[in-house]
Amino acid sequence: MLTKKQIDYVLDTIGEMFPEAECELTHSNPFELLVAVVLSAQATDALVNKVTPGLFKKYKSPEDFMEVPLEELEQDIRSIGLFRSKAKNIKKLSYSLIEKYDGKVPSERDELVTLAGVGRKTANVVASVAFDEPAIAVDTHVERVSKRLGICRWKDSVLEVEKTLMRKIPKELWSETHHRLIFFGRYHCKSQSPQCMECPLLHLCREGKKRLKKKGIEVK
DNA sequence: CTCCCGATAT
DNA sequence: ATATCAGGAG
């Protein structure tokens, strides 16, 4: 496990690597962000962004999603994958927004997670990006990077990872750090091909040293 | 825990 | 061919 000083070093380093890290899902208001994040489950941002511009041109409000036949919405988002459940969730979610929230996206996480297709991670993204609430959304990248670097333990659940990060990172840095961890995971510490040889954090990364040793490369 | 699922990288 | 992708519901 990393010490407090080592974690500060990690934050500084990923800050230098990705100073401008931010949400990469195309959106222009909280509702579009909510739909985009629901669509992004187990899909790349790039894939979602291919669909959403056209989608948001066709559907401008929860009412529009509520009224369209399910099969038509399924076809509109088919290329993203998991399209049947996502289409159903977006229609249900739109109905709830109209019925309970006057057609607007709530800013509270407790309210967001009551919406169809919205779990803790999605709620954190919406609260953080759309409403500027401090939050750390633990997605596949944040989880993988936190475990590889030794910020948390390998056996930790997603919720435990989030709690550990919130405990070890100052609240005012939560949102920007969370985006930098995602960029670090997405573009550098990649799942299949992590760039350990060129990693400025290799000296404190147990997993990176283990991986290089396995390839016959000695690291002190 | 399994299922949902197409696109892309490896 | 297989692994992975801003996960969540049943």
Side-chain angles (χ1 to χ4, degrees):
Chain A
M1 296 286 282
L2 300 187
T3 63
K4 186 178 189 312
K5 188 176 275 185
Q6 287 175 313
I7 289 181
D8 287 341
Y9 183 80
V10 169
L11 299 189
D12 286 343
T13 303
I14 63 176
E16 286 178 23
M17 293 175 79
F18 305 103
E20 309 295 321
E22 60 184 358
C23 179
E24 293 196 298
L25 290 167
T26 303
H27 69 283
S28 55
N29 58 55
F31 179 62
E32 289 186 0
L33 176 66
L34 175 61
V35 172
V37 181
V38 169
L39 288 174
S40 72
Q42 297 299 100
T44 59
D45 281 11
L47 190 57
V48 174
N49 288 339
K50 279 188 175 180
V51 170
T52 44
L55 194 73
F56 295 148
K57 203 171 170 188
K58 178 175 179 182
Y59 305 93
K60 299 188 179 304
S61 66
E63 285 86 352
D64 293 338
F65 283 111
M66 205 181 69
E67 289 165 9
V68 72
L70 179 61
E71 297 73 21
E72 187 175 338
L73 181 55
E74 285 179 349
Q75 289 314 306
D76 287 337
I77 65 172
R78 184 183 47 79
S79 63
I80 294 177
L82 305 182
F83 61 92
R84 279 181 275 265
S85 47
K86 286 175 183 175
K88 214 171 291 178
N89 286 150
I90 288 171
K91 281 181 70 69
K92 282 183 70 177
L93 160 171
S94 296
Y95 191 83
S96 297
L97 288 182
I98 293 167
E99 196 172 58
K100 301 180 186 173
Y101 300 104
D102 193 31
K104 294 174 188 169
V105 179
S107 60
E108 296 298 319
R109 254 119 30 194
D110 291 344
E111 297 175 324
L112 285 165
V113 294
T114 67
L115 300 170
V118 179
R120 189 181 179 88
K121 176 248 156 185
T122 297
N124 274 329
V125 173
V126 173
S128 168
V129 175
F131 300 107
D132 214 31
E133 295 282 336
I136 298 177
V138 179
D139 68 344
T140 183
H141 300 296
V142 175
E143 179 178 9
R144 182 181 66 250
V145 166
S146 299
K147 291 182 176 182
R148 279 183 179 168
L149 285 173
I151 295 175
C152 63
R153 305 186 191 274
W154 278 103
K155 53 181 291 189
D156 285 348
S157 68
V158 175
L159 181 59
E160 286 169 332
V161 175
E162 183 185 333
K163 286 181 181 172
T164 301
L165 289 169
M166 289 194 292
R167 201 182 327 120
K168 297 189 174 183
I169 299 170
K171 195 169 188 173
E172 61 272 20
L173 299 181
W174 284 358
S175 291
E176 67 173 48
T177 300
H178 135 250
H179 283 112
R180 289 169 178 175
L181 285 170
I182 287 175
F183 271 54
F184 182 73
R186 186 179 290 164
Y187 301 115
H188 183 85
C189 189
K190 294 182 276 189
S191 178
Q192 298 193 50
S193 55
Q195 312 294 101
C196 302
M197 284 294 286
E198 308 153 37
C199 188
L201 296 174
L202 178 60
H203 63 96
L204 54 74
C205 182
R206 175 170 302 218
E207 178 65 15
K209 283 187 268 195
K210 189 198 291 180
R211 280 172 174 271
L212 289 185
K213 199 162 189 176
K214 208 167 181 179
K215 292 165 91 177
I217 303 169
E218 274 305 322
V219 184
K220 63 176 169 51

